[in-house]
Amino acid sequence: MTRSLPSLLALLLLAGCGPGPDTGTSPDLASAPASLEETDRQGGSAPREDSVRLSTGVTLRYVEQGRRDGPVVVFLHGYTDSHHTWDLDLPRFSRDLHVYALDQRGHGDSSRPACCYTQQAFAQDVVAFLNAKRVSRAILVGHSMGSFIAQQVALDAPSRVKALVLVGSAPTVAGNEVALGLKSVVDTLTDPVDPAFIYEFQASTFFQPVPASYLNTLVAESSKLPARVWQDTLDGLIAEDHSARLGRLRVPTLIIGGDNDGFFSVTEQRALARAIRGSKYLLYPETGHAPHAERARRFVDDVHHFINGL
């Protein structure tokens, strides 16, 4: 279960991931089938890493997998994370999908410009990425911070979004007490950011255990961010509130949350489902802020089912 961290406001859950100890007992944590690896070797659809310079001025690192002529699915990670937040999921996704998992600006191995880290800036990068890859429309899958960026893209460039999958999300971060408390801590960070803080920040995010190797990877990825990116990104998330516009969305939307999410309550999750007309809401029991990692097998099955129904 999630560990209490009084010094970090009990649960600092805005990051995309962060496990408890690996017990090795959860079926959701089983390795991806060997058949998928064989498919990669024989079919030429193994994950490929690359980077692209965007018209917005940033260079984004990304992972790509699957058929180049398949439906395009773009994965957007959470605060201080990278494409590695999807490490427990991508091996399970059908290679009939054309998947991109991005390192968003300032994160992972993408460039870290001095400006800007607003939701609009992140969303503009996504549209610029689609342009660079000559993708007319994509399914956007976003976790936590990534879910708000996905919402922003759908609001600002609706013709580019085929569907949304919003994970660990809510209508807004603005006014969220956990986010405001987190800001009071993050505002004090200096370089290099304290590794102990990063570890506890990441480890506080799950209700269910995930592999220790996954935690170590996520801590290493968060350690790449300078303090200014921690601060500017969180400021951008808190400052912006597009919740009043969500009723305008007309794209198929799947919302997946956990009943023990310490960042966004079930009440907030349900408010998001009400705000987006026709959306489907799945609440995972005994699950925290990161259903995609805590319940990887179910998550992938649910997303596959949603995509197949489009």
Side-chain angles (χ1 to χ4, degrees):
M1 294 179 63
T2 307
R3 287 174 287 175
S4 176
L5 298 173
S7 64
L8 296 181
L9 310 171
L11 293 176
L12 301 180
L13 297 179
L14 191 56
C17 350
D22 178 10
T23 64
T25 59
S26 172
D28 287 306
L29 304 184
S31 298
S35 60
L36 289 183
E37 299 176 4
E38 189 65 26
T39 298
D40 288 342
R41 288 194 293 270
Q42 294 181 357
S45 58
R48 307 171 289 277
E49 289 197 36
D50 205 345
S51 59
V52 59
R53 177 77 172 179
L54 302 182
S55 60
T56 54
V58 299
T59 298
L60 293 194
R61 190 73 176 172
Y62 64 91
V63 169
E64 179 182 9
Q65 74 176 35
R67 293 178 47 169
R68 296 183 186 276
D69 61 347
V72 176
V73 185
V74 177
F75 287 80
L76 304 173
H77 60 76
Y79 175 64
T80 80
D81 287 334
S82 72
H83 74 269
H84 285 291
T85 196
W86 309 106
D87 280 358
L88 301 179
D89 308 299
L90 294 188
R92 299 180 181 279
F93 273 101
S94 169
R95 276 14 183 207
D96 288 334
L97 300 174
H98 189 177
V99 166
Y100 293 102
L102 310 186
D103 287 356
Q104 298 182 84
R105 64 166 58 204
H107 294 66
D109 293 323
S110 292
S111 59
R112 314 189 202 287
C115 177
C116 297
Y117 293 91
T118 63
Q119 289 183 40
Q120 284 83 4
F122 282 108
Q124 288 164 8
D125 287 344
V126 175
V127 174
F129 181 84
L130 296 178
N131 291 341
K133 294 301 176 181
R134 299 184 179 181
V135 174
S136 59
R137 299 174 73 211
I139 300 161
L140 302 184
V141 181
H143 173 247
S144 195
M145 179 188 84
S147 75
F148 295 103
I149 305 312
Q151 293 174 33
Q152 193 74 51
V153 176
L155 289 168
D156 293 347
S159 65
R160 310 304 298 273
V161 180
K162 182 176 182 179
L164 293 171
V165 179
L166 308 176
V167 188
S169 193
T172 185
V173 184
N176 183 284
E177 292 184 359
V178 179
L180 293 173
L182 174 58
K183 174 176 165 56
S184 70
V185 178
V186 168
D187 282 349
T188 69
L189 297 179
T190 57
D191 293 320
V193 177
D194 183 2
F197 167 79
I198 295 173
Y199 180 91
E200 295 298 345
F201 173 73
Q202 287 285 12
S204 72
T205 63
F206 286 119
F207 188 82
Q208 290 291 327
V210 299
S213 59
Y214 183 62
L215 169 60
N216 292 337
T217 296
L218 297 172
V219 169
E221 292 299 293
S222 290
S223 297
K224 294 177 179 179
L225 276 64
R228 66 175 177 85
V229 175
W230 283 76
Q231 293 156 356
D232 291 350
T233 301
L234 185 55
D235 285 347
L237 285 169
I238 293 173
E240 299 171 67
D241 182 358
H242 56 233
S243 59
R245 301 170 59 200
L246 292 175
R248 304 177 188 176
L249 293 180
R250 294 293 184 272
V251 297
T253 301
L254 174 63
I255 299 167
I256 300 177
D259 64 351
N260 281 276
D261 187 330
F263 195 88
F264 296 122
S265 67
V266 172
T267 298
E268 290 172 288
Q269 295 172 41
R270 287 176 173 160
L272 177 63
R274 288 194 303 271
I276 302 177
R277 299 177 187 178
S279 61
K280 181 177 181 180
Y281 172 43
L282 299 178
L283 182 64
Y284 290 5
E286 299 296 302
T287 304
H289 185 55
H292 66 288
E294 298 176 60
R295 305 289 184 187
R297 182 171 295 171
R298 177 178 176 183
F299 172 78
V300 173
D301 286 347
D302 286 337
V303 174
H304 269 150
H305 182 74
F306 174 68
I307 291 175
N308 290 338
L310 295 175

